[in-house]
Amino acid sequence: MAGNTSVPGATVVSRSLALLFAFDESHRRLTLSELARRADLPLPTAHRLVGELAAGGALVRRANGEYVVARRLWQVGLLAPVETGLREVARPFMNDLHATTRATVHLAVREGTEVLYLERLSGRASVPVVSTVGSRLPLHATGVGKVLLAHAPDDVVADALARPARVTPYTITQPARMREQLEQVRRDGYATTVEEMTLGACSVAVPITAGERVVAALGVVVPSLKRDRARLVAALQVAAQGIGRTVG
């Protein structure tokens, strides 16, 4: 839910934000009733504010009555410093990686206990993946997520491993086993997954460091890591170092 905004004293701005924040990866299309419920607002209030948000270009009402986030709002979101700086710097390196590997290439940062995907490059020969630009996925089930989790504060690690979801039969959900993997990620400098997020897809990822701080993760998704792991890790590390030097 977006939050308790039905209490007395809630401002128009806070109620409008609650309606916008009602949308997430699992709720991309919402009816007026669903928006009111998720924002914890009376239906008449939600109706008035949603109408203003749609008139202002923040939401779009589809023919079936559902509302979606408007492209204009998405474009505003891309102006956030972490979006513009990292994406612009990383894109040439990601293009080179994609041209070399023909794999899906991901740039991601941590947002709470989830991975936020800032950029993705893929082609017809790439392995199908569930990620999209702006989507969020579990830290423990993705290569980029494991990298970010390995360098996250202790309280974030504890929260992420408190109730890890099983996405596929191969997702690692045992906290002790995952902590061992995170230690290995810190030791080896890269993380891998084997069908832990998507069946038929494996990944390898490395940290992007600015100074001594891990600011993002760079990864690729491939059908198998049996033969090309060392080559992919080397290519990722070269690209990550280039991005880190530019960002730093």
Side-chain angles (χ1 to χ4, degrees):
M1 295 296 181
N4 184 8
T5 52
S6 62
V7 297
T11 66
V12 172
V13 172
S14 66
R15 291 173 176 175
S16 298
L17 288 174
L19 288 165
L20 295 176
F21 294 157
F23 294 93
D24 58 26
E25 180 66 17
S26 302
H27 302 86
R28 294 174 176 266
R29 299 174 298 276
L30 294 169
T31 65
L32 179 62
S33 296
E34 291 169 336
L35 276 165
R37 177 176 55 82
R38 287 180 56 78
D40 196 16
L41 289 172
L43 188 59
T45 302
H47 181 270
R48 175 174 58 82
L49 293 176
V50 166
E52 293 182 11
L53 289 169
L59 297 178
V60 172
R61 187 179 186 275
R62 291 186 164 176
N64 63 358
E66 293 179 328
Y67 289 87
V68 297
V69 173
R71 178 172 296 182
R72 183 175 181 184
L73 190 63
W74 177 77
Q75 291 170 331
V76 171
L78 292 180
L79 299 177
V82 66
E83 296 275 1
T84 54
L86 273 175
R87 290 177 77 243
E88 290 176 2
V89 167
R91 194 173 291 116
F93 295 95
M94 295 178 68
N95 285 332
D96 290 345
L97 266 176
H98 177 62
T100 301
T101 65
R102 310 312 300 172
T104 297
V105 184
H106 285 141
L107 174 70
V109 296
R110 180 178 64 83
E111 187 164 284
T113 56
E114 295 179 310
V115 175
L116 172 61
Y117 287 85
L118 300 184
E119 187 63 279
R120 189 190 83 170
L121 295 180
S122 62
R124 288 180 295 176
S126 302
V127 176
V129 295
V130 297
S131 63
T132 58
V133 175
S135 66
R136 294 172 173 81
L137 294 176
L139 288 169
H140 69 282
T142 59
V144 286
K146 289 183 183 180
V147 166
L148 296 167
L149 189 58
H151 297 279
D154 292 342
D155 60 329
V156 173
V157 176
D159 287 346
L161 300 185
R163 291 178 297 276
R166 185 177 297 279
V167 186
T168 77
Y170 305 101
T171 307
I172 298 172
T173 58
Q174 303 92 338
R177 185 179 171 195
M178 180 56 66
R179 287 182 182 277
E180 291 177 359
Q181 280 210 356
L182 297 180
E183 179 59 36
Q184 185 175 354
V185 170
R186 289 187 288 268
R187 183 172 61 250
D188 296 344
Y190 68 92
T192 62
T193 64
V194 179
E195 298 189 283
E196 295 165 46
M197 188 69 229
T198 305
L199 293 177
C202 302
S203 69
V204 58
V206 302
I208 297 174
T209 305
E212 298 183 356
R213 185 169 61 94
V214 172
V215 296
L218 186 67
V220 295
V221 181
V222 293
S224 173
L225 293 173
K226 291 181 179 178
R227 291 187 304 173
D228 294 333
R229 178 184 308 202
R231 180 178 67 88
L232 292 171
V233 169
L236 282 165
Q237 288 176 336
V238 170
Q241 289 168 5
I243 297 169
R245 284 195 298 267
T246 308
V247 172

